[in-house]
Amino acid sequence: MSSDLTAAGFPTPALTEEMLELDEDDDLEVFSKDVTLTDGSSVSASLPTSPSSMTNQYRFEEESDTRDIFVTVDNPESHVTALETFITYRVVTKTTRSDFDSCEFEVRRRYQDFLWLRDRVEETHPTLIVHPLPEKFVMKGMVERFNDDFIETRRKALHKFLCRIAEHSILSCNADFKIFLTAQAWELTSHKKQGPGLLSRMGDTVRAVAASVRGVKNRPEEFVAMQEYVDTFSQRMSSLDKVTQRIAKEIKEYLDDLKHYGPTYVLWSGSEEELVEPLKGVASCIDTCCQATEEQLSQMSNNLVPLLHEYVLCSDAIKAVLRRRDNIQTDYEAKCDILVSKQADREALKGEVEKLEDRVECANSALKGDWERWQSNMRGDVKAAFVSTAEKNVDYYEKCLAAWESFLTSMNADQSVEKSAGLTS
Amino acid sequence: MADSGGPETAQLSSNDSKGEVGDVIPEEARSLLRKMEISVAEVEKRTGKNAVNMLETYTVYLIETRRVDSSAENQNFSPDSLWRRYSEFELLRNYLLVTYPFVIVPPLPEKRAEFVWHKLSADNMDPDFVERRRIGLENFLLRVASHPILSNDKIFYDFLTEENGWKEAVMETGFQPKADSRLKALNATFRVKNPDKRFTELKHYSDELQSVTSQLLRVRARVADRLYGVYKVHGNYGRVFSEWSAIEREMGDGLQSAGHHMDAYAASIDDILEEEENYADQLKEYLFYAEALKAVCRKHELLQYELETAAQDLMSKKQQREELVSGTVRTFSLKGMTSKLFGQETPEQREAKMRVLEEQIQEGEELVQEKKTECDEYVRNAWSDMERFKVQKDRDLREAMISYAVMQISLCKKGIQVWTNAKECFSKM
């Protein structure tokens, strides 16, 4: 995708001729002034509604240069109440957006709050791809909830979750997101209670199940391809996740045995005279290798393993997106059927059908636009993680090589000293 | 004690040695190797009827020897060869152990594969094991042939050159009963009153050497096993990357080629660990050498004990004589008791007793002298071989660790290459 650049090298959001000539031109007509595009009415009044700025939402390549909101998640702290113990994280927001009251915000949020945000964002934008949250519990390995490594891994994942939303031109404008970033604890609690009630949510679920039972009639080709891709991608990611965890396990076991190896040479040196140097030298090299292995393992556990796991979760998220898209289409198709069969109330029904048709178009465009963005992010993430792993492995071998070469040099140095001593004696 | 025969070992002063295993042979050895090249060239499987008339499969080794005349220009003597079984090697070694008890006799390679890690089969028919055993047997022959004393032994020379009748010749030396009594003595418990401090320290050292090398071999094998697992699991990346590349347009090529590097990485561990087995074999040799060292110390203890016993007997006899002369009974004897009970003995009886005692004392003196000489000679010979062994051991183990470092360096370089290549592929995704 090309981007429009001004002379200064920055893309501008202003209306230009080229922008109006997009393929999505036809779709521009679809955007009515009706702000309620979805069932949830959480779109804030400050959301731009003109078609041109709508168009701008899909020019994702401009994001990195026009970012005006930055979010970080850090500083996990333990909170103990009478009823429970939980961790809160500090969420810091820096922004120049005019619809924010200030340029800096600092709040504390717990995992539950992130879950709430995720659910709200998914409801509001059912066919946008939201980066997944870390899982509630890690059953495998029985990791304690308050283990340091677990907390750090979770913190990084929560950070990435918020960053991805902040980078997304539509999602970052979401009202619930803004409240999440800025509201005091009590404000957030009261806002949470205002959401669609339990009954309405149950109704949604029932409709969704009914829709999926009905099945979609003519799924557009590109979404068929997407489904196939995601199904395969999901399997590949699961395999990679498993393989990588297995490698980490094998390296750990190797390290455990290696830790006994060096000391055995030291033990031996206790009985020897001439051989003390080489024995201790070998022991020292092995110890260096142990340290290098620890670092290698740490890199793998902290970077590659979580990344692959994230994308397993991503696949599930995308499958859910595709299901929701299908449901939106099914709703429309169902209403069409009713329209065909019923003679009375045709006018009223026609209105409803049009609305649902709009919904389908919106949902499809949103997903189509987001798909490329997701793919690009995925490639970037995967490439970075594997490159970093490969780099770490090279570094590991280089450290070990240096140790052994230095040992060899010291051995040869001893020998040449002996030789010259022999010649002169 | 030994049959020294065979070709005269001329006192050549040139420094080159003609062994098949380079650094094993010390440059100053004046040994059989000056005259002939020795190698265990081939291995074959044979089938035949054994002692209980059952069909069995066994392995034979081809020993090749070639006369070498270092002064002649052309060294085109054709090699002689004969086939030997492992059991014949064992027979030779047992003979040497008995015949030269003060020598730290080189060990044979192990009969069965021990300290295995999971991939290496414990199967004696495994070709890698058979090859390493061939090398081990050759190493044994070269060690014996370069030993200043053992290399002169006729039975050893015949082992290398006389196919027929060798077994009978060994038996004729009458070493077998000595071998049995040797074993008994090694396992017997006795206390030495004045142990030689040097030998006690040496025995202590041999225990430590045995213990630490076997521990080292065990840990090394476990580490090798784990490392094998790490490398092999990476092979799965190859498979999954390849499958994944099918659905990726931009990343497909990068994934495919990265996958190939992962496959290569996984495959590389087999050769790496096979080479490391050579290092393990070098350690094993010294594990078994420790046993031989211990035996030499034990033999000295036995001789010392025999000397002390003889000296004690002599002293007690002398004391008896003294009592007879002075008439006092300080030592208990049945005769003394009975004479107390039944009356004094006659002067003639005393004369007779005196004569017997004098004779015994005379024999005792000679025996003590004999034992002392035996002991001193043993100490001299054993100590000389200890010093030779110490120099050899320090040199060999140092070389072994250097070659281990070289192996590790090669492993690291391969690793750097694979992951650098993989990184490039990932970068291109």
Side-chain angles (χ1 to χ4, degrees):
Chain A
M1 293 209 243
S2 64
S3 64
D4 285 325
L5 297 176
T6 63
F10 291 105
T12 58
L15 232 198
T16 65
E17 286 282 270
E18 285 124 44
M19 286 165 108
L20 290 172
E21 266 148 53
L22 286 173
D23 287 347
E24 284 135 342
D25 237 356
D26 298 327
D27 292 309
L28 291 178
E29 306 311 314
V30 173
F31 291 114
S32 65
K33 292 261 165 50
D34 187 347
V35 159
T36 56
L37 295 170
T38 64
D39 285 349
S41 50
S42 68
V43 177
S44 76
S46 59
L47 181 74
T49 57
S50 65
S52 54
S53 39
M54 282 297 193
T55 311
N56 187 47
Q57 308 293 343
Y58 300 110
R59 300 300 293 267
F60 299 121
E61 72 278 13
E62 297 166 13
E63 273 170 45
S64 51
D65 297 349
T66 54
R67 287 206 43 208
D68 51 6
I69 178 164
F70 299 89
V71 183
T72 51
V73 176
D74 60 16
N75 194 252
E77 262 174 24
S78 189
H79 288 254
V80 184
T81 70
L83 293 171
E84 56 177 347
T85 312
F86 57 91
I87 307 272
T88 62
Y89 303 83
R90 185 175 75 148
V91 178
V92 174
T93 308
K94 293 196 169 82
T95 178
T96 54
R97 288 192 181 179
S98 50
D99 55 315
F100 280 75
D101 292 335
S102 155
C103 2
E104 235 186 272
F105 295 88
E106 190 179 307
V107 294
R108 294 206 74 89
R109 297 286 180 246
R110 55 185 291 191
Y111 182 78
Q112 266 179 24
D113 300 330
F114 284 84
L115 271 179
W116 168 84
L117 176 63
R118 198 264 319 267
D119 289 344
R120 289 299 305 139
V121 164
E122 274 182 359
E123 273 180 57
T124 317
H125 310 276
T127 59
L128 288 183
I129 302 169
V130 178
H131 199 71
L133 278 176
E135 279 154 326
K136 258 191 143 140
F137 303 114
V138 181
M139 288 319 284
K140 223 193 309 179
M142 303 305 264
V143 175
E144 268 178 46
R145 278 164 61 217
F146 304 113
N147 167 278
D148 278 350
D149 280 341
F150 174 75
I151 292 171
E152 174 57 16
T153 308
R154 183 174 260 205
R155 183 204 65 77
K156 281 208 277 228
L158 294 173
H159 174 87
K160 195 161 177 184
F161 167 75
L162 287 184
C163 285
R164 285 285 153 90
I165 296 180
E167 288 161 15
H168 197 299
S169 39
I170 301 181
L171 294 178
S172 64
C173 303
N174 179 283
D176 292 305
F177 181 55
K178 180 168 167 218
I179 290 170
F180 178 91
L181 294 177
T182 59
Q184 293 303 304
W186 61 268
E187 285 178 312
L188 180 63
T189 313
S190 98
H191 177 83
K192 277 190 195 180
K193 293 197 173 116
Q194 285 169 29
L198 181 65
L199 282 177
S200 121
R201 283 213 299 274
M202 272 174 65
D204 286 346
T205 314
V206 168
R207 284 220 336 271
V209 170
S212 56
V213 165
R214 223 177 293 135
V216 71
K217 282 200 201 136
N218 295 305
R219 191 189 284 151
E221 188 53 49
E222 59 213 312
F223 300 115
V224 171
M226 238 183 244
Q227 183 74 55
E228 279 172 14
Y229 175 88
V230 169
D231 286 339
T232 311
F233 180 83
S234 164
Q235 284 173 349
R236 301 294 162 251
M237 273 300 130
S238 289
S239 295
L240 281 179
D241 186 31
K242 276 198 213 105
V243 170
T244 308
Q245 287 193 34
R246 178 70 192 280
I247 290 177
K249 175 168 166 279
E250 296 285 338
I251 293 179
K252 177 88 185 28
E253 288 179 346
Y254 166 69
L255 181 60
D256 288 341
D257 280 324
L258 200 62
K259 284 185 176 155
H260 292 124
Y261 191 36
T264 311
Y265 283 97
V266 175
L267 178 67
W268 188 356
S269 72
S271 325
E272 297 290 339
E273 292 157 9
E274 291 297 311
L275 290 174
V276 171
E277 287 300 311
L279 286 169
K280 285 198 167 157
V282 170
S284 161
C285 287
I286 293 171
D287 285 341
T288 305
C289 292
C290 277
Q291 275 168 21
T293 309
E294 300 254 28
E295 286 171 30
Q296 181 196 32
L297 190 57
S298 173
Q299 197 276 349
M300 192 171 256
S301 305
N302 295 336
N303 289 341
L304 190 57
V305 171
L307 187 278
L308 292 171
H309 196 64
E310 251 170 62
Y311 275 94
V312 171
L313 295 176
C314 252
S315 326
D316 292 338
I318 297 177
K319 284 180 188 170
V321 162
L322 288 169
R323 267 197 305 275
R324 290 195 287 266
R325 192 220 67 85
D326 277 354
N327 290 346
I328 291 174
Q329 184 171 330
T330 315
D331 279 352
Y332 163 69
E333 286 170 353
K335 262 290 170 356
C336 283
D337 289 345
I338 297 175
L339 184 68
V340 164
S341 58
K342 284 217 175 125
Q343 295 303 318
D345 292 330
R346 269 196 97 92
E347 286 312 309
L349 272 178
K350 261 213 181 120
E352 278 175 48
V353 167
E354 268 175 31
K355 254 200 186 169
L356 288 176
E357 199 179 8
D358 276 359
R359 252 186 96 210
V360 172
E361 298 290 349
C362 278
N364 288 351
S365 319
L367 178 52
K368 270 203 300 215
D370 226 24
W371 181 245
E372 284 306 318
R373 190 191 65 93
W374 177 83
Q375 286 240 291
S376 161
N377 273 339
M378 181 272 290
R379 282 196 296 271
D381 282 352
V382 164
K383 176 169 149 173
F386 277 109
V387 165
S388 157
T389 301
E391 269 173 0
K392 191 61 204 159
N393 288 343
V394 170
D395 181 54
Y396 159 79
Y397 280 113
E398 279 177 346
K399 285 202 175 90
C400 295
L401 178 67
W404 288 109
E405 279 184 333
S406 139
F407 167 76
L408 210 58
T409 312
S410 73
M411 288 293 107
N412 288 336
D414 285 351
Q415 277 213 308
S416 49
V417 164
E418 279 169 28
K419 278 198 178 124
S420 53
L423 284 172
T424 54
S425 64
Chain B
M1 278 199 219
D3 279 333
S4 40
E8 295 303 307
T9 44
Q11 308 290 307
L12 300 171
S13 57
S14 77
N15 270 339
D16 56 304
S17 51
K18 292 185 169 55
E20 295 288 316
V21 178
D23 288 345
V24 168
I25 319 301
E27 286 170 347
E28 48 287 284
R30 298 185 296 266
S31 63
L32 186 59
L33 285 178
R34 308 225 143 276
K35 320 257 139 169
M36 68 186 354
E37 278 175 19
I38 304 172
S39 72
V40 176
E42 276 167 46
V43 183
E44 258 181 35
K45 286 218 231 312
R46 298 269 171 86
T47 321
K49 291 249 173 95
N50 66 4
V52 288
N53 215 32
M54 283 176 59
L55 218 58
E56 63 168 5
T57 314
Y58 56 91
T59 316
V60 285
Y61 302 87
L62 185 70
I63 301 178
E64 258 184 23
T65 49
R66 180 162 50 188
R67 282 292 169 90
V68 169
D69 190 353
S70 59
S71 60
E73 281 307 307
N74 61 330
Q75 304 183 1
N76 286 331
F77 296 110
S78 57
D80 294 317
S81 62
L82 47 76
W83 294 93
R84 293 272 184 227
R85 292 179 67 159
Y86 186 86
S87 56
E88 292 175 273
F89 280 84
E90 280 182 314
L91 192 59
L92 170 65
R93 185 165 189 269
N94 286 335
Y95 160 79
L96 291 173
L97 281 170
V98 168
T99 316
Y100 306 93
F102 54 89
V103 167
I104 302 159
V105 177
L108 285 171
E110 53 191 359
K111 203 163 191 174
R112 264 164 285 280
E114 275 175 58
F115 302 109
V116 291
W117 52 280
H118 88 283
K119 180 242 173 185
L120 185 68
S121 59
D123 176 21
N124 289 353
M125 295 293 150
D126 173 54
D128 288 330
F129 177 77
V130 170
E131 172 61 13
R132 289 212 314 283
R133 184 190 263 193
R134 182 195 67 77
I135 293 172
L137 290 174
E138 187 176 275
N139 185 49
F140 166 77
L141 292 179
L142 292 169
R143 291 247 194 235
V144 175
S146 62
H147 192 284
I149 296 171
L150 298 179
S151 59
N152 292 323
D153 186 275
K154 175 138 202 330
I155 294 288
F156 173 60
Y157 184 76
D158 289 346
F159 180 86
L160 298 172
T161 54
E162 295 291 322
E163 182 137 34
N164 300 314
W166 178 80
K167 257 200 195 152
E168 291 75 10
V170 184
M171 290 312 183
E172 264 168 43
T173 62
F175 90 98
Q176 193 63 60
K178 286 196 214 158
D180 298 333
S181 72
R182 172 184 177 269
L183 269 174
K184 244 195 249 158
L186 273 179
N187 295 324
T189 41
F190 46 80
R191 266 204 65 220
V192 171
K193 292 225 183 81
N194 291 313
D196 184 321
K197 215 176 103 189
R198 292 178 304 172
F199 280 91
T200 312
E201 272 172 24
L202 215 50
K203 191 165 86 135
H204 205 64
Y205 171 75
S206 74
D207 284 334
E208 284 176 0
L209 185 64
Q210 230 179 1
S211 155
V212 85
T213 47
S214 73
Q215 185 179 327
L216 189 59
L217 283 162
R218 239 176 301 121
V219 178
R220 189 214 71 91
R222 261 210 309 274
V223 167
D225 189 30
R226 297 293 189 203
L227 191 62
Y228 183 80
V230 171
Y231 272 71
K232 285 301 178 191
V233 173
H234 277 85
N236 287 310
Y237 270 155
R239 183 180 48 87
V240 181
F241 281 165
S242 172
E243 290 170 358
W244 183 14
S245 70
I247 58 168
E248 296 294 338
R249 237 181 19 245
E250 286 88 352
M251 294 202 295
D253 288 340
L255 280 173
Q256 274 273 31
S257 36
H260 290 147
H261 290 301
M262 292 297 100
D263 285 334
Y265 182 70
S268 68
I269 193 66
D270 294 290
D271 286 344
I272 288 169
L273 288 178
E274 186 51 47
E275 226 206 310
E276 246 191 57
E277 282 305 310
N278 292 323
Y279 173 67
D281 283 343
Q282 287 173 301
L283 294 177
K284 268 181 224 173
E285 196 191 10
Y286 278 91
L287 170 65
F288 303 143
Y289 255 127
E291 188 72 54
L293 182 59
K294 201 161 36 169
V296 171
C297 295
R298 282 291 277 171
K299 174 71 180 180
H300 171 260
E301 259 186 351
L302 182 62
L303 288 178
Q304 178 81 356
Y305 179 72
E306 286 172 0
L307 172 60
E308 283 177 1
T309 311
Q312 198 159 13
D313 282 348
L314 179 63
M315 208 167 75
S316 122
K317 289 275 186 277
K318 281 188 174 165
Q319 233 162 18
Q320 280 178 40
R321 180 179 61 181
E322 213 185 292
E323 281 164 19
L324 209 55
V325 165
S326 65
T328 54
V329 180
R330 249 176 296 135
T331 60
F332 175 81
S333 74
L334 197 58
K335 272 254 151 60
M337 278 292 105
T338 53
S339 63
K340 269 217 146 166
L341 292 170
F342 299 111
Q344 286 283 18
E345 43 191 11
T346 66
E348 292 84 16
Q349 283 174 323
R350 274 182 60 205
E351 275 299 312
K353 250 199 268 176
M354 194 58 137
R355 273 200 298 275
V356 167
L357 266 178
E358 291 285 359
E359 226 176 272
Q360 286 176 341
I361 287 171
Q362 180 75 2
E363 283 169 10
E365 301 264 13
E366 281 171 14
L367 182 64
V368 167
Q369 195 53 47
E370 216 180 279
K371 286 288 168 191
K372 189 147 195 337
T373 313
E374 198 183 347
C375 219
D376 286 346
E377 199 179 305
Y378 185 87
V379 167
R380 227 182 10 256
N381 289 328
W383 202 249
S384 153
D385 205 51
M386 300 286 196
E387 314 241 278
R388 183 204 59 82
F389 171 75
K390 184 179 185 308
V391 169
Q392 175 197 296
K393 171 205 72 155
D394 287 341
R395 189 189 52 235
D396 286 349
L397 289 173
R398 189 197 165 94
E399 287 302 317
M401 283 186 269
I402 288 174
S403 73
Y404 184 68
V406 169
M407 283 179 221
Q408 297 308 306
I409 287 171
S410 162
L411 179 155
C412 290
K413 285 188 173 162
K414 283 189 193 140
I416 290 172
Q417 193 174 56
V418 163
W419 285 104
T420 306
N421 291 338
K423 178 183 161 185
E424 225 181 276
C425 298
F426 289 135
S427 303
K428 293 207 184 107
M429 294 201 311

